[in-house]
Each structure stands twice: as structure tokens, then as C-alpha cells.
Amino acid sequence: MRVYAGGPILEPSAGSGDLARAIEKAAGIHYNSDGTRNDYYYSTNNKYRLDALQLDCIEQSAVLRATLKENGFRVVHDDFLTFTPHAHYKAIIMNP
């Protein structure tokens, strides 16, 4: 299992959150059988808070932004081309 230890990540075209979920899973965040996240994720004998992963999402569609927020993702803007970041992102991950 991998445990995320880097800085903030940006997903600039988040859509419905499929790639954001994959980023969380790669960072070691567990999902329950009903698709909801656990509040904690585990590595060996250590327990980490879910918010240790700083994943920011951007999405143009108002409907999809609402879906992302309902699913617990942090939406920071609605258009990547006009976005002014307030964080120094370690990675920008997207599906072009």
C-alpha cells in the first residue's frame, strides 16, 4: 500500500470525480463497499486523516461541480484557464 507524503495535487478537469477517486486510492485512501470514503486510511500500524491528501479539483460544469462536492471533493474553481493558484502544486494530474 502507498501512503501519500507529497504536497497538494490539482485535478484541473475533474468531471464526475473518477480520476480524483483513483488519485485517492493510489494515495492509500480506502472506500467502503457502498462507495463512501473512510474518514481514515491506514498504513502498516499507523492511522492517517483523510484530509492529509490535499486534492483540489476544477470543473466547468455546474452540475458536475455539485456532484464533486456531494462526494466530498474540494472544488477550488470552475475554469482552469482563469484559475490563479494559491498553493504550489506538487503534481497536476488530468486525463486530456
Side-chain angles (χ1 to χ4, degrees), residues 28-95:
I29 294 171
H30 296 272
Y31 280 78
N32 299 314
S33 59
D34 65 357
T36 59
R37 291 185 201 91
N38 287 332
D39 288 338
Y40 295 92
Y41 62 102
Y42 300 88
S43 172
T44 316
N45 296 325
N46 299 316
K47 182 167 71 170
Y48 300 91
R49 289 270 324 144
L50 174 62
D51 55 12
L53 174 66
Q54 298 170 328
L55 175 61
D56 292 343
C57 297
I58 296 174
E59 175 52 47
Q60 286 187 331
S61 165
V63 172
L64 292 176
R65 280 194 310 274
T67 299
L68 288 165
K69 290 176 183 178
E70 287 172 12
N71 289 317
F73 292 106
R74 183 175 43 241
V75 178
V76 296
H77 201 60
D78 62 356
D79 186 352
F80 177 68
L81 297 177
T82 62
F83 176 60
T84 303
H86 299 287
H88 180 76
Y89 292 101
K90 284 284 216 174
I92 298 173
I93 302 174
M94 65 182 289
N95 181 6

